[in-house]
Amino acid sequence: MVNSPTKRNMCFVFSFRVLASAISLALCIFFTTHHHHHHNTIGSDGVSHGFESVRRSILALKTDPLKPRLDHIKKQAEDHRMLALMYASYARKLKLESSKVVRVFAELSRDFSDLVNKPQYTALFSSDGAIDESVLRQLENEVKERIKTARQVIGEAKESFDNQLKIQKLKDTIFSVNEQLTKAKKQGAFSSLIAAKSIPKSLHCISMRLMEERIAHPEKYSDEGKPTAPELEDPKLYHYAIFSDNVVAASVVVNSATKNAKEPWKHVFHVMTDKMNLGAMQVMFKLKNYNGAHIEVKAVEDYKFLNSSYVPVLRQLESANLQKFYFENKLENATKDTTNMKFRNPKYLSILNHLRFYLPEMYSKLHRILFLDDDIVVQKDLTGLWKIDMDGKVNGAVETCFGSFYRYAQYMNFSHPLIKAKFNPKACAWAYGMNFFDLDAWRREKCTEEYHYWQNLNENRTLWKLGTLPLGLITFYSTTKPLEKSWHVLGLGYNPSISMEEIKNAAVVHFNGNMKPWLDIAMNQFKPLWSKFVDYELEFVQACNFGL
């Protein structure tokens, strides 16, 4: 049987009433129990805490609709106060030129704080009662006004901030790149130094093969027991001094000089080397006759007066401090000082490098001699140098100064009182590599004694950088005669911009610098000037694949 609609409605009403009665009963039990627990507990205001709790619970259910609006206004004010503080801090960090920006943001932050701390607004935040809408509206208007001002100031400052940030980032990037560049330069300079001072395998091979030949046939190459050829001491001939431990380079100097000489048989070459390379040099210079030129090959050790009791350099080499300076440097220490790195090369205290200061004693019967480095190439007949009037000067050399460059000040320590008192910092420097010496004037001026005096003073390396050029500038100060620049063109070992016209007109070209012509790092445009005088037809040179 199907229930009628009236009957169904009656059932629903009955069920609802039962449910309502159950809820009412539960509430009565709750409040009765709550009242029982807090019976006779009265607060200082005379109101029962139990009833106060009930009252507040009811108020919580009836929250003021203006409360969320007040919280929102307060949050906006606090957010913009913090934003102004943040911009003020950022402006200080960026060190903006105008402190006005920092002041403006600091004042904005204080304005927000002062606003919410006004008595009429403080009451709004602390009161649990009804919120006065007129006061709330006034607060809202003031907050909006300050927010508008803050955003306007931030908008104006933002571009400046962005620019400052970009500048700072750019500075950081430049600093970082600079650090990397400095490090790369130091490593590059050290690598370049290693490449420049290392002996190529093929060059070492030639020396070894020549020495092997010397050992196999001693009778062909030894000069022991033979009388000195009169030409070697004849002052009427043209004498050259070449000091080298590079057998190929020395042979190129002699080759180029004899091939360009008008009367090569009148030219005498005094080749000086060390004991280790003596055998190879002897073989090299006896394999051909060099157009009739006279060649003497000797070792430093053959001159007995060159010992540590007479030569300051040899005595200084026995110093523990100097040995430590040269021979105990690690890679990380060597690359710290790129300026002085090259001067840590032991060659600067090599006796072979200092022999140039003993020419009058080594060649006591000669009046004049031409000193040549082993990295030069002779392109013209040089006998014209012997016709130059030296005006009583000792050293004939090409000056290198131009403008403020290559003056004495760049080679010596003019903060030292001895240097400052003796020399003019603006005096023009000159070049070693091709130097014409009047040995009679040298003896008269006692230049070797002058050299000894200054070399002894500089044992602690405080007067000048190491090397023979500062010593030469000191020793021959005021006794040097400038030569025409076409006699000696320098820079083929480091300067790619030298004109071919200048090179063509030069009597001697000098491969001074790290890019020596016998190295792989030589400049290709200049290398043929040197390589055309290498004796590639010699079997020793071919066997070692030199120049390939």
Side-chain angles (χ1 to χ4, degrees), residues 291-529:
N291 296 327
H294 309 280
I295 301 171
E296 175 189 41
V297 179
K298 296 185 80 170
V300 177
E301 292 79 3
D302 293 333
Y303 292 90
K304 303 303 178 185
F305 73 92
L306 295 173
N307 53 62
S308 59
S309 63
Y310 178 64
V311 180
V313 166
L314 292 178
R315 184 169 60 254
Q316 289 167 10
L317 275 174
E318 296 172 358
S319 160
N321 287 337
L322 217 57
Q323 288 177 11
K324 184 177 180 180
F325 178 79
Y326 281 112
F327 302 110
E328 292 185 13
N329 281 300
K330 297 179 181 178
L331 173 62
E332 58 269 25
N333 294 332
T335 55
K336 281 180 183 176
D337 187 1
T338 53
T339 305
N340 291 320
M341 189 191 303
K342 69 176 184 177
F343 297 109
R344 287 181 179 267
N345 191 325
K347 83 161 194 173
Y348 288 106
L349 278 186
S350 161
I351 183 59
L352 201 61
N353 211 37
H354 284 253
L355 279 181
R356 63 194 70 190
F357 295 104
Y358 298 98
L359 290 171
E361 294 162 278
M362 296 170 66
Y363 308 108
S364 57
K365 295 184 179 180
L366 302 182
H367 305 303
R368 291 184 169 190
I369 195 167
L370 181 63
F371 169 78
L372 297 175
D373 268 343
D374 64 357
D375 55 353
I376 65 99
V377 172
V378 178
Q379 299 189 129
K380 294 183 179 179
D381 182 83
L382 300 179
T383 54
L385 287 167
W386 276 261
K387 298 173 185 176
I388 292 175
D389 183 1
M390 292 289 286
D391 298 323
K393 303 291 186 181
V394 177
N395 170 35
V398 169
E399 292 183 330
T400 54
C401 64
F402 62 94
S404 61
F405 298 99
Y406 299 105
R407 302 281 176 177
Y408 269 49
Q410 292 178 267
Y411 297 94
M412 301 168 207
N413 177 18
F414 274 87
S415 63
H416 196 289
L418 284 174
I419 295 292
K420 189 176 181 180
K422 178 74 175 178
F423 305 102
N424 178 5
K426 295 182 180 179
C428 188
W430 43 266
Y432 262 130
M434 190 210 75
N435 302 82
F436 189 72
F437 290 111
D438 184 330
L439 299 182
D440 292 333
W442 184 319
R443 297 179 186 105
R444 185 179 64 250
E445 296 290 338
K446 299 183 178 179
C447 293
T448 300
E449 287 87 341
E450 186 78 359
Y451 155 72
H452 282 173
Y453 171 76
W454 288 100
Q455 181 64 30
N456 282 322
L457 286 177
N458 196 46
E459 186 170 357
N460 57 1
R461 304 178 301 279
T462 58
L463 302 183
W464 66 84
K465 293 176 182 178
L466 291 169
T468 53
L469 181 55
L471 256 177
L473 295 175
I474 287 172
T475 302
F476 303 113
Y477 182 63
S478 75
T479 61
T480 297
K481 180 180 176 65
L483 300 179
E484 287 289 333
K485 291 192 181 295
S486 60
W487 279 110
H488 184 192
V489 170
L490 297 107
L492 278 70
Y494 70 89
N495 183 5
S497 62
I498 302 172
S499 71
M500 294 309 293
E501 184 67 23
E502 188 178 3
I503 291 172
K504 182 181 177 182
N505 294 330
V508 168
V509 290
H510 193 173
F511 288 83
N512 58 311
N514 284 341
M515 290 178 265
K516 300 298 184 189
W518 53 85
L519 300 176
D520 291 336
I521 59 173
M523 285 185 271
N524 291 330
Q525 67 268 40
F526 300 143
K527 192 170 182 175
L529 298 170

Side-chain angles (χ1 to χ4, degrees), residues 212-276:
E212 185 181 38
E213 171 69 10
R214 172 69 175 79
I215 294 169
H217 306 95
E219 70 287 346
K220 289 173 62 176
Y221 305 106
S222 177
D223 289 328
E224 289 183 18
K226 295 180 182 178
T228 302
E231 294 85 1
L232 301 181
E233 297 178 341
D234 187 350
K236 295 177 183 178
L237 300 180
Y238 306 108
H239 291 264
Y240 301 77
I242 304 166
F243 306 145
S244 175
D245 57 2
N246 185 328
V247 64
V248 176
S251 70
V252 166
V253 175
V254 176
N255 257 339
S256 61
T258 54
K259 286 184 179 179
N260 286 288
K262 294 176 181 176
E263 299 174 307
W265 55 89
K266 291 184 179 180
H267 295 253
V268 182
F269 296 88
H270 303 272
V271 180
M272 186 69 59
T273 188
D274 51 34
K275 203 73 174 175
M276 187 173 69

Side-chain angles (χ1 to χ4, degrees), residues 157-170:
K158 193 173 185 302
E159 184 179 354
S160 175
F161 279 21
D162 288 346
N163 289 339
Q164 287 294 325
L165 185 60
K166 288 173 184 175
I167 290 169
Q168 189 59 46
K169 284 184 176 179
L170 187 59

Side-chain angles (χ1 to χ4, degrees), residues 13-33:
V13 170
F14 176 75
S15 300
F16 177 80
R17 286 177 178 172
V18 171
L19 178 61
S21 299
I23 292 171
S24 300
L25 181 60
L27 287 171
C28 286
I29 293 169
F30 171 77
F31 286 115
T32 303
T33 306

